[in-house]
Amino acid sequence: MQFTDEWLMATVEKVLPAEVVAQLRQEAAPQPQSLWATVVTRRLATDEEILKAAAARFRLPVADLAHLDPHIRDAVPEPLVRRYNILPLRLTDSVLEIATANPFDIDAEKDLAFATGREVRTFLSSPSRIRDKMDELYRGGGAEVVAQLLGGLDEAMQVQYLEDETGVDLAASAEEASQRPVVRLVDLMLSDGILSRASDIHVEPGEAGVAVRYRIDGVLRQVMNIPRSAGAPLISRIKIMSGLDIADRLRPQDGRARVAVNGAPVDLRISTLPASLGEKVVIRILNAGATVLTLESLGMSPDERTVMEALLNNKEGIILVTGPTGSGKTTTLYSMLRMVQDEGVNIVTVEDPVEYRLGKGIVQVQVHEKAGLTFAAALRSILRQDPDVVLLGEIRDKETATIAIQASLTGHLVLSTLHTNDAPNAITRLVDMGMEAYKLASALRGVIAQRLMRKLCGTCKEVTDQQAPERLRRYMPAGAVIYRALGCPECSMTGYRGRFSVVEVLTMSVQIERLIGAGATAEKIAVAARANGMRSLFESGLNHVLSGDTSIEELLRVVDVPMTEVPPPRTSAPTEAPRRTSDSARRTPPSTPVLEAPRRSEPDLTGAFDLLDEQLPAPAEAVPGRRGGGARGARVLLVDDEDSLRRVMKDLLVRDGYEVLEARTGVEALDQVDQHAPDIVVLDLNLPGKDGYAVLSELRARPATERLPVIVLTAKGDEDNEVRVFEMGADDFLTKPFRAKALSKRLEVMLTRRR
């Protein structure tokens, strides 16, 4: 890879390991990239680390950007500032002080000295901070800038908004759209939006004028309000540059344009929508030169990355990424492609539009529906090109879905996206499209549901002592450290800067395949997926809250708090949550009137066990001399992350006279063993963090617990799983769901045998 700032390489070599630097050199890129930006984007080093090393190497002072004089923008022209990516700091009669990320740019120094008539003194800063402060300094008074740009617009050619839009003078509108003030206004809006890291620009006519809003980090922010008289020329100019029909204002239109900002190519996707006060325009910004990120840089946890990497080890089948528009699905797919990219792998993509250029070894096909090149047609042709991996931008209809699944069943790995709220609903959505359930069960390898959350600004975030909302408290561990958004100039006073992914990953199992083939509902598939290790979007987001990456407010903005009980990701047990009701319980008619006053809830034994046909045994008489005072008196450790299931088992064993200890994670289980020395352990395999396999292995490795009886619980009732746990040293095996007597009898026999 070639870099535009090669002078920085010697500094970077002092910060990064030699093998990382060599890898960067070896990577292919269609055009030179910024070394500084590449290192920071991939989280190989921070801005502060590079800045400190560069300042020490070149003996340059670091710029203080905390306070900027707004009057300095009048002395230093903005085009010059943006061309050389510098920031004016202080101006005296003889000296101009600037902040720059490239102290060796002689052209910038000469042009600034000529434009201001002063000696230029250089201070060092990072490119991102310079860019942000540049926007803050020169964007400033948006209304003033707009008024100045529109000052040359002929007053005689103002457009009047009428109830009947067809009454607008189209000829005048087109002429106005070609005038320099309007062109400059559109150029300002586009460049400002792109440099502000906006993903979309919204132009919305209203009663008070035309509002321009940027979507930055997933949230809309209004940056300027344009007079209504300039609305029609502005929109016409946008339609002209994107090849749309300016005379057609009654139908939605879609178009494309391509611009360059500071030499970097940017693709624009334009959509218009007729409204009561004029056409609304949304401009989607697609950075064609953006670097494809790794899964780690997307913010995924190690466990999530491990599961996704395991999915990509499949040589055939279909992997889906789901979520609403703007949730980062395409970026995730590109990151997954990067992992399988190899000289010996033929990768072909079908996209609308092509958002990033993926470089060598990947053929990208742009959909062109007017020419007949639809997703289905392109995919049908691609399968004749001997591909190994196919990326399909979106599954939109039955035809595309059918071809994609057929391709996955004939030896191809297919990656695609789908618009659903969560992972289990992706399966039912495809079935609703007309896919045969048995084919889908055979083809599907996994579904990744995704959302994007804003990341707290590292400069201004602070610990808060404010309590979480009531509906979240049962999921929050005791003593959890929570951060809040504060706001500073670095984050434009929002408290957030950048975004990361939260995901739920559904991987296939024998049980899930059977459920899909049988036409099971999304709810039943979700229960089986959770038993197979899937963690929800809420749990993924909550982990990031507890890690200090984001705030509780952002969590509530992005994902819904579950109505059913979800185990918290850390140590302490939550307060009681609403319990799930089994299918059999729902089919049972209520024994009390619907309007009866609610009674104090008792443990729902039907929610986790098959107990409807079974009477619980009455408590046996106490046996003197046994600890716990019960009939059996033994100390039992229950390890299960499903709180409702664990409560049911505890109630059952307490009735039988056992002393019961509880743990919901593998770490908690080992702590309980060390502190209380139980007589027997009932161990679930699917635990968060350290799973049941790891707990069992550690117990057998310790001399003190190598003979401790362990009964394993699991929802995976396959033979291979049974063999594995017995080989690891389990004493017994019980598959969920099971009857109460089964657990009670196994405990009794096991303890009697041990005595």
Side-chain angles (χ1 to χ4, degrees), residues 308-488:
M308 294 180 66
E309 290 168 0
L311 286 177
L312 293 174
N313 288 331
N314 291 287
K315 303 303 179 185
E316 49 83 28
I318 186 169
I319 301 173
L320 298 175
V321 180
T322 74
T325 302
S327 60
K329 299 187 298 295
T330 303
T331 301
T332 298
L333 284 179
Y334 284 167
S335 301
M336 295 168 71
L337 276 189
R338 181 177 179 179
M339 295 182 63
V340 300
Q341 186 177 1
D342 188 79
E343 184 178 352
V345 180
N346 182 19
I347 302 174
V348 186
T349 76
V350 186
E351 305 170 65
D352 184 25
V354 175
E355 297 192 15
Y356 303 150
R357 308 295 176 183
L358 298 178
K360 184 180 179 181
I362 299 179
V363 177
Q364 296 177 267
V365 179
Q366 171 74 55
V367 168
H368 197 293
E369 294 190 358
K370 291 183 179 179
L373 187 60
T374 62
F375 274 110
L379 183 57
R380 196 178 288 108
S381 300
I382 284 172
L383 295 180
R384 304 188 190 103
Q385 296 289 316
D386 186 32
D388 298 300
V389 180
V390 177
L391 187 150
L392 185 61
E394 183 181 350
I395 295 179
R396 296 180 176 177
D397 49 42
K398 180 181 179 181
E399 184 183 9
T400 307
T402 301
I403 301 172
I405 290 177
Q406 192 63 41
S408 67
L409 291 171
T410 54
H412 305 89
L413 180 61
V414 180
L415 310 178
S416 188
T417 69
L418 199 64
H419 288 268
T420 62
N421 291 329
D422 56 27
N425 274 292
I427 298 168
T428 56
R429 171 74 186 282
L430 288 172
V431 174
D432 291 341
M433 281 186 179
M435 298 298 98
E436 294 90 346
Y438 73 93
K439 285 187 178 180
L440 182 59
S442 300
L444 193 62
R445 294 294 174 267
V447 184
I448 303 161
Q450 176 170 320
R451 298 291 189 275
L452 291 178
M453 280 188 182
R454 291 182 296 170
K455 187 175 184 179
L456 285 170
C457 175
T459 303
C460 64
K461 72 176 185 180
E462 67 174 16
V463 177
T464 178
D465 55 359
Q466 186 178 357
Q467 285 193 339
E470 182 65 32
R471 55 181 173 160
L472 279 182
R473 290 177 191 172
R474 62 175 177 243
Y475 305 119
M476 304 297 294
V481 179
I482 307 299
Y483 290 83
R484 68 167 182 169
L486 190 61
C488 67

Side-chain angles (χ1 to χ4, degrees), residues 109-163:
E109 187 173 337
K110 289 181 178 178
D111 287 355
L112 287 167
F114 179 80
T116 61
R118 292 166 173 82
E119 177 189 354
V120 178
R121 293 181 182 174
T122 301
F123 293 77
L124 201 60
S125 187
S126 67
S128 59
R129 295 194 65 188
I130 290 175
R131 183 173 58 250
D132 293 344
K133 290 294 183 179
M134 186 192 304
D135 294 339
E136 180 184 328
L137 180 64
Y138 284 94
R139 187 194 305 167
E144 299 175 7
V145 176
V146 171
Q148 184 179 0
L149 288 172
L150 295 176
L153 191 61
D154 189 350
E155 294 292 329
M157 301 179 66
Q158 291 182 356
V159 178
Q160 301 294 322
Y161 281 83
L162 306 175
E163 291 188 7

Side-chain angles (χ1 to χ4, degrees), residues 14 130 249 269 292 336 359 363 378 388 393 468 487 497 503 530 533 545 565 576 598 621 633 648 696 699 741:
K14 300 291 185 181
I130 290 175
R249 302 187 175 188
R269 186 169 61 182
V292 178
M336 295 168 71
V363 177
D388 298 300
R497 183 173 176 83
V503 298
R530 287 189 61 82
V545 171
E565 194 170 40
E576 187 170 347
E621 296 182 2
V648 172
L696 179 59
L699 289 176
K741 289 179 180 179

Side-chain angles (χ1 to χ4, degrees), residues 168-180:
V168 176
D169 188 346
L170 296 176
S173 180
E175 186 177 348
E176 290 174 346
S178 305
Q179 294 193 30
R180 186 62 186 168

Side-chain angles (χ1 to χ4, degrees), residues 7-8 34 36-37 40 46-52 54 61-63 65 85-87 99-102 123-134 490 497:
W7 61 270
L8 190 62
S34 168
W36 196 319
V40 173
T46 64
D47 276 325
E48 289 72 18
E49 290 172 339
I50 299 176
L51 188 60
K52 183 179 179 180
V62 176
L65 307 184
N85 197 34
I86 62 97
L87 185 70
T100 180
N102 183 5
F123 293 77
L124 201 60
S125 187
S126 67
S128 59
R129 295 194 65 188
I130 290 175
R131 183 173 58 250
D132 293 344
K133 290 294 183 179
M134 186 192 304
E490 291 293 320
R497 183 173 176 83

